[in-house]
Amino acid sequence: MSARGTNPPGWAVIRLAETGSTNDDLLSLARDGAAAGTVLVADHQTAGRGRLDRRWEAPPGANLLASLLFRPVDGAPYRCTWIVALAAREACREVAGTEPDLKWPNDLLVGGRKLAGILAESSHGAVVVGIGVNVGWAPDGATCLDAESPAAQVRPMDLLGTMLPVIDRLMACDPAELARKYRAALATIGMDVRVERAGGEPLVGRAVDVRDDGLLVVATERGEVAVAAGDVVHLRPA
Ligand code: BT5
């Protein structure tokens, strides 16, 4: 169904003109037993979601809004996020000639501005990874591929079509190799950061590593702290 032709075997891409949220729809399909490799793409979302009930905005037809269904045997949702983030990064490079940095845990940035966000949610042994990539539109303070690479004239479905074979390749990597690739693409490591945590004090320090279990390790004045979730602000390179 991608504009480039057939998708790789194992992927079933369903394209919707409009829905509330592709993550909500795919979570409900997953509960009804939908297979790994099911992908929902929408030209428009009326209730697109970010993390912590934030909104994900995009005008109709402008951006890639997609959710992908994984059924990982090890149940580690963060690895699905890593795979989708790395695949989106590679697809942006291939299709637009723009290579975003990754920001822990779920953003793709160009020049420090948000190009894409990822929302991974688990239910009934399934992991639904939703990704919004700004192709033709971005809100103030963020960026889009048309602004970064105006000549490329990227179509959202081309981006998705380029991502799927890369996802297949990354799913075949062993966990240590995948972690190496993720760390290598992550701009967060080595940065001074502030981590805003729900219901807690912000943590300030230097991001020194991402552990194999997905936690971000921050060196603070009081020693190293491993963070499972939070919003990271890159303050400056160390
Ligand atoms: C994210 O949340 O970055 C996850 C976004 C996931 C969106 C996809 S689209 C397909 C699938 N279906 C869904 O319903 N969701 C997924 P977070 O880190 O919480 O960032 C959300 C914040 O980013 C918002 O509060 C805004 O400030 C900002 N924002 C909203 N729309 C944006 C956009 N298009 N580009 C950049 N920033 C945006």
Side-chain angles (χ1 to χ4, degrees), residues 91-150:
C92 288
R93 189 180 61 223
E94 216 174 286
V95 173
T98 291
E99 185 174 72
D101 295 318
L102 304 189
K103 188 180 83 161
W104 188 93
N106 74 330
D107 287 348
L108 279 75
L109 306 179
V110 179
R113 297 201 289 178
K114 188 153 168 164
L115 178 82
I118 292 176
L119 174 66
E121 298 178 291
S122 304
S123 172
H124 293 74
V127 179
V128 166
V129 182
I131 181 162
V133 184
N134 299 331
V135 175
W137 177 88
D140 285 350
T143 191
C144 63
L145 289 175
D146 281 1
E148 300 295 335
S149 311

Coordinates of all heavy atoms in Angstrom, one line a residue, residues 91-150:
A91 N 14.9 6.3 7.5 CA 14.0 6.7 6.4 C 14.1 8.2 6.0 O 14.1 8.6 4.9 CB 12.6 6.3 6.7
C92 N 14.3 9.0 7.1 CA 14.4 10.4 6.8 C 15.7 10.7 6.1 O 15.7 11.6 5.2 CB 14.4 11.2 8.1 SG 12.8 11.3 9.0
R93 N 16.7 10.0 6.4 CA 18.0 10.2 5.7 C 17.8 9.8 4.2 O 18.2 10.5 3.3 CB 19.1 9.4 6.4 CG 20.5 9.7 5.8 CD 21.6 9.0 6.5 NE 21.4 7.5 6.3 CZ 21.6 6.6 7.3 NH1 21.9 7.0 8.5 NH2 21.4 5.4 7.0
E94 N 17.2 8.6 4.0 CA 17.1 8.0 2.7 C 16.2 8.9 1.8 O 16.5 9.1 0.6 CB 16.6 6.6 2.8 CG 17.2 5.7 1.8 CD 16.8 4.2 2.0 OE1 17.3 3.6 3.0 OE2 15.9 3.8 1.3
V95 N 15.0 9.2 2.3 CA 14.0 9.8 1.5 C 14.2 11.4 1.4 O 13.9 12.0 0.4 CB 12.6 9.5 2.1 CG1 11.5 10.3 1.4 CG2 12.3 8.0 2.0
A96 N 14.7 12.0 2.5 CA 14.8 13.4 2.5 C 16.2 14.0 2.6 O 16.5 15.1 2.4 CB 14.0 14.0 3.7
G97 N 17.2 13.1 2.9 CA 18.6 13.5 3.0 C 18.8 14.3 4.4 O 19.8 15.0 4.5
T98 N 17.8 14.2 5.3 CA 18.0 14.8 6.6 C 18.1 13.7 7.6 O 17.2 12.8 7.7 CB 16.7 15.6 6.9 OG1 16.6 16.7 6.1 CG2 16.7 16.1 8.4
E99 N 19.2 13.7 8.4 CA 19.3 12.7 9.4 C 19.1 13.3 10.8 O 19.9 14.0 11.4 CB 20.7 12.1 9.4 CG 20.9 10.9 10.3 CD 22.2 10.2 10.2 OE1 23.2 10.8 10.6 OE2 22.2 9.1 9.7
P100 N 17.9 12.9 11.4 CA 17.6 13.4 12.8 C 18.5 12.7 13.8 O 18.9 11.6 13.6 CB 16.1 13.1 13.0 CG 15.7 12.4 11.7 CD 16.9 12.0 10.9
D101 N 18.6 13.4 15.0 CA 19.2 12.8 16.2 C 18.1 12.2 17.0 O 16.9 12.7 16.9 CB 19.8 13.9 17.1 CG 21.0 14.5 16.4 OD1 21.8 13.8 15.8 OD2 21.1 15.8 16.5
L102 N 18.4 11.2 17.8 CA 17.4 10.7 18.7 C 17.6 11.3 20.0 O 18.7 11.6 20.5 CB 17.5 9.2 18.8 CG 17.5 8.4 17.5 CD1 17.4 6.9 17.8 CD2 16.3 8.8 16.7
K103 N 16.4 11.6 20.7 CA 16.5 12.1 22.1 C 15.8 11.1 22.9 O 14.6 10.8 22.6 CB 15.8 13.5 22.2 CG 16.0 14.1 23.6 CD 15.4 15.5 23.7 CE 13.9 15.3 24.0 NZ 13.3 16.5 24.6
W104 N 16.4 10.6 24.0 CA 15.8 9.7 24.9 C 14.6 10.3 25.6 O 14.7 11.5 25.9 CB 16.8 9.3 26.0 CG 16.3 8.2 26.9 CD1 16.5 6.8 26.7 CD2 15.5 8.3 28.1 NE1 15.9 6.1 27.7 CE2 15.3 7.0 28.6 CE3 15.0 9.4 28.8 CZ2 14.5 6.8 29.7 CZ3 14.2 9.1 29.9 CH2 14.0 7.8 30.4
P105 N 13.4 9.7 25.7 CA 13.2 8.3 25.3 C 12.5 8.2 23.9 O 12.5 7.1 23.4 CB 12.2 7.8 26.4 CG 11.4 9.0 26.7 CD 12.3 10.2 26.6
N106 N 12.0 9.3 23.3 CA 11.0 9.0 22.3 C 11.0 10.1 21.2 O 10.0 10.2 20.4 CB 9.6 8.9 22.8 CG 9.0 10.2 23.3 OD1 9.8 11.1 23.7 ND2 7.7 10.4 23.2
D107 N 12.0 11.0 21.1 CA 11.9 12.0 20.1 C 12.9 11.9 19.0 O 14.0 11.4 19.2 CB 12.1 13.4 20.7 CG 10.9 13.8 21.6 OD1 9.9 13.2 21.5 OD2 11.1 14.8 22.4
L108 N 12.6 12.5 17.8 CA 13.6 12.7 16.8 C 13.7 14.2 16.6 O 12.7 14.9 16.5 CB 13.2 12.0 15.4 CG 13.4 10.5 15.3 CD1 12.4 9.7 16.1 CD2 13.4 10.1 13.8
L109 N 15.0 14.7 16.6 CA 15.2 16.1 16.6 C 16.1 16.4 15.4 O 17.0 15.7 15.0 CB 16.0 16.6 17.8 CG 15.4 16.2 19.2 CD1 16.4 16.8 20.3 CD2 14.1 16.8 19.4
V110 N 15.9 17.6 14.8 CA 16.9 18.2 13.8 C 17.3 19.5 14.4 O 16.4 20.4 14.6 CB 16.2 18.3 12.4 CG1 17.3 18.9 11.5 CG2 15.8 16.9 11.9
G111 N 18.5 19.7 14.6 CA 19.0 21.0 15.1 C 18.4 21.3 16.4 O 18.1 22.5 16.7
G112 N 18.1 20.3 17.2 CA 17.5 20.5 18.5 C 15.9 20.7 18.5 O 15.3 20.9 19.5
R113 N 15.4 20.8 17.3 CA 13.9 21.0 17.2 C 13.2 19.6 16.9 O 13.7 18.8 16.1 CB 13.6 22.0 16.1 CG 14.2 23.3 16.6 CD 13.6 24.5 15.9 NE 13.9 24.6 14.5 CZ 13.4 25.5 13.7 NH1 12.6 26.4 14.2 NH2 13.8 25.5 12.5
K114 N 12.0 19.5 17.4 CA 11.3 18.2 17.3 C 10.8 18.0 15.9 O 10.0 18.8 15.4 CB 10.2 18.1 18.3 CG 9.5 16.8 18.5 CD 8.9 16.6 19.9 CE 8.0 15.5 20.0 NZ 7.7 15.1 21.4
L115 N 11.2 16.8 15.3 CA 10.7 16.4 14.0 C 9.7 15.3 14.1 O 8.8 15.2 13.3 CB 11.9 15.9 13.1 CG 11.5 15.4 11.8 CD1 11.4 16.6 10.8 CD2 12.6 14.4 11.2
A116 N 9.8 14.5 15.1 CA 8.9 13.4 15.3 C 8.9 12.9 16.8 O 9.8 13.2 17.5 CB 9.4 12.2 14.5
G117 N 7.7 12.3 17.1 CA 7.5 11.8 18.5 C 7.0 10.4 18.4 O 6.3 10.1 17.4
I118 N 7.3 9.6 19.4 CA 6.8 8.2 19.5 C 6.1 8.0 20.8 O 6.5 8.5 21.8 CB 8.1 7.3 19.4 CG1 8.7 7.4 18.0 CG2 7.7 5.9 19.7 CD1 10.0 6.6 17.8
L119 N 5.0 7.2 20.7 CA 4.2 6.9 21.8 C 4.0 5.3 21.8 O 3.3 4.8 20.9 CB 2.9 7.5 21.8 CG 1.8 7.2 22.8 CD1 2.3 7.6 24.2 CD2 0.5 7.8 22.5
A120 N 4.7 4.6 22.7 CA 4.6 3.2 22.8 C 3.7 2.8 23.9 O 3.8 3.3 25.0 CB 6.0 2.5 22.9
E121 N 2.7 1.9 23.6 CA 1.8 1.4 24.6 C 1.6 -0.1 24.5 O 1.6 -0.6 23.5 CB 0.4 2.1 24.4 CG 0.5 3.6 24.5 CD -0.8 4.4 24.3 OE1 -1.2 4.4 23.1 OE2 -1.3 4.9 25.2
S122 N 1.5 -0.7 25.7 CA 1.4 -2.2 25.8 C 0.0 -2.6 26.2 O -0.6 -1.9 27.0 CB 2.4 -2.8 26.8 OG 3.7 -2.3 26.5
S123 N -0.4 -3.7 25.6 CA -1.7 -4.3 26.1 C -1.8 -5.7 25.6 O -1.5 -6.0 24.4 CB -2.8 -3.4 25.4 OG -4.1 -4.0 25.6
H124 N -2.2 -6.6 26.5 CA -2.4 -8.0 26.1 C -1.2 -8.6 25.3 O -1.5 -9.3 24.3 CB -3.7 -8.1 25.4 CG -4.9 -7.8 26.2 ND1 -5.2 -6.5 26.5 CD2 -5.9 -8.6 26.7 CE1 -6.4 -6.5 27.2 NE2 -6.7 -7.8 27.4
G125 N 0.0 -8.4 25.8 CA 1.2 -9.0 25.1 C 1.5 -8.3 23.8 O 2.5 -8.7 23.1
A126 N 0.8 -7.3 23.4 CA 1.1 -6.5 22.2 C 1.7 -5.2 22.6 O 1.5 -4.6 23.6 CB -0.2 -6.2 21.4
V127 N 2.6 -4.7 21.7 CA 3.1 -3.3 21.9 C 2.7 -2.5 20.6 O 3.0 -2.9 19.5 CB 4.7 -3.3 22.0 CG1 5.2 -1.9 22.2 CG2 5.1 -4.2 23.2
V128 N 2.0 -1.5 20.9 CA 1.6 -0.6 19.8 C 2.6 0.6 19.8 O 2.7 1.3 20.8 CB 0.2 -0.1 19.9 CG1 -0.1 1.0 19.0 CG2 -0.7 -1.3 19.6
V129 N 3.3 0.8 18.7 CA 4.2 2.0 18.7 C 3.6 3.0 17.7 O 3.6 2.7 16.5 CB 5.6 1.6 18.3 CG1 6.6 2.8 18.3 CG2 6.2 0.5 19.2
G130 N 3.2 4.1 18.2 CA 2.7 5.2 17.3 C 3.8 6.2 17.0 O 4.6 6.5 17.9
I131 N 3.9 6.6 15.8 CA 4.9 7.6 15.5 C 4.2 8.7 14.6 O 3.4 8.5 13.7 CB 6.1 7.0 14.7 CG1 7.1 8.2 14.4 CG2 5.7 6.2 13.5 CD1 8.5 7.7 14.1
G132 N 4.5 10.0 15.0 CA 4.1 11.1 14.1 C 5.4 11.8 13.6 O 6.3 12.1 14.4
V133 N 5.5 11.8 12.3 CA 6.7 12.5 11.7 C 6.2 13.7 11.0 O 5.3 13.6 10.1 CB 7.5 11.6 10.7 CG1 8.7 12.3 10.2 CG2 7.9 10.3 11.4
N134 N 6.7 14.9 11.3 CA 6.3 16.1 10.6 C 7.0 16.1 9.3 O 8.2 16.2 9.1 CB 6.8 17.3 11.5 CG 6.2 17.4 12.8 OD1 5.1 16.9 13.0 ND2 6.9 18.0 13.8
V135 N 6.1 16.1 8.3 CA 6.6 16.1 6.9 C 6.4 17.5 6.3 O 7.3 18.2 5.9 CB 5.9 15.0 6.0 CG1 6.4 15.1 4.6 CG2 6.3 13.6 6.6
G136 N 5.1 17.9 6.2 CA 4.8 19.2 5.6 C 4.4 20.3 6.6 O 4.2 21.4 6.1
W137 N 4.3 19.9 7.8 CA 3.8 20.9 8.8 C 4.5 20.6 10.2 O 4.6 19.5 10.5 CB 2.3 20.9 9.0 CG 1.8 21.9 10.0 CD1 1.4 23.2 9.8 CD2 1.5 21.6 11.4 NE1 1.0 23.7 11.0 CE2 1.0 22.8 12.0 CE3 1.7 20.5 12.2 CZ2 0.7 22.9 13.3 CZ3 1.4 20.6 13.5 CH2 0.9 21.8 14.1
A138 N 4.8 21.7 10.9 CA 5.2 21.6 12.3 C 4.7 22.8 13.1 O 4.6 23.9 12.5 CB 6.8 21.5 12.4
P139 N 4.4 22.5 14.4 CA 4.0 23.7 15.2 C 5.2 24.6 15.5 O 6.4 24.2 15.2 CB 3.5 23.0 16.5 CG 4.1 21.7 16.5 CD 4.4 21.3 15.1
D140 N 5.0 25.8 16.0 CA 6.0 26.7 16.3 C 7.1 26.0 17.2 O 6.7 25.3 18.2 CB 5.5 27.9 17.1 CG 4.8 28.9 16.2 OD1 4.9 28.7 14.9 OD2 4.1 29.8 16.7
G141 N 8.3 26.2 16.9 CA 9.4 25.7 17.8 C 9.8 24.3 17.3 O 10.8 23.8 17.8
A142 N 9.0 23.6 16.5 CA 9.4 22.3 16.0 C 9.8 22.4 14.5 O 9.9 23.5 14.0 CB 8.2 21.3 16.1
T143 N 10.1 21.3 13.9 CA 10.5 21.4 12.5 C 9.8 20.2 11.7 O 9.3 19.3 12.3 CB 12.0 21.4 12.3 OG1 12.3 21.8 11.0 CG2 12.6 20.1 12.6
C144 N 9.9 20.3 10.3 CA 9.4 19.3 9.5 C 10.3 19.1 8.3 O 11.2 19.9 8.0 CB 8.0 19.7 9.0 SG 7.9 21.2 7.9
L145 N 10.1 17.9 7.6 CA 11.1 17.6 6.5 C 11.0 18.6 5.4 O 12.1 18.9 4.8 CB 10.8 16.2 6.0 CG 11.1 15.0 7.0 CD1 10.7 13.7 6.4 CD2 12.6 15.0 7.3
D146 N 9.9 19.1 5.1 CA 9.8 20.1 4.0 C 10.6 21.4 4.3 O 11.1 22.0 3.4 CB 8.3 20.5 3.8 CG 7.6 19.5 3.0 OD1 8.2 18.5 2.6 OD2 6.4 19.7 2.7
A147 N 10.7 21.7 5.6 CA 11.5 22.9 6.0 C 13.0 22.5 6.0 O 13.9 23.3 5.6 CB 11.2 23.3 7.4
E148 N 13.4 21.3 6.3 CA 14.8 20.9 6.4 C 15.3 20.5 5.0 O 16.5 20.7 4.7 CB 14.9 19.6 7.3 CG 14.5 19.9 8.8 CD 15.3 21.0 9.5 OE1 16.5 21.2 9.1 OE2 14.8 21.6 10.4
S149 N 14.5 19.9 4.2 CA 14.9 19.4 2.9 C 13.8 19.8 1.8 O 13.1 18.9 1.3 CB 15.1 17.9 2.9 OG 15.8 17.4 3.9
P150 N 13.7 21.1 1.5 CA 12.6 21.5 0.7 C 12.5 20.8 -0.7 O 11.5 20.5 -1.3 CB 12.8 23.0 0.5 CG 13.8 23.4 1.4 CD 14.5 22.2 1.9

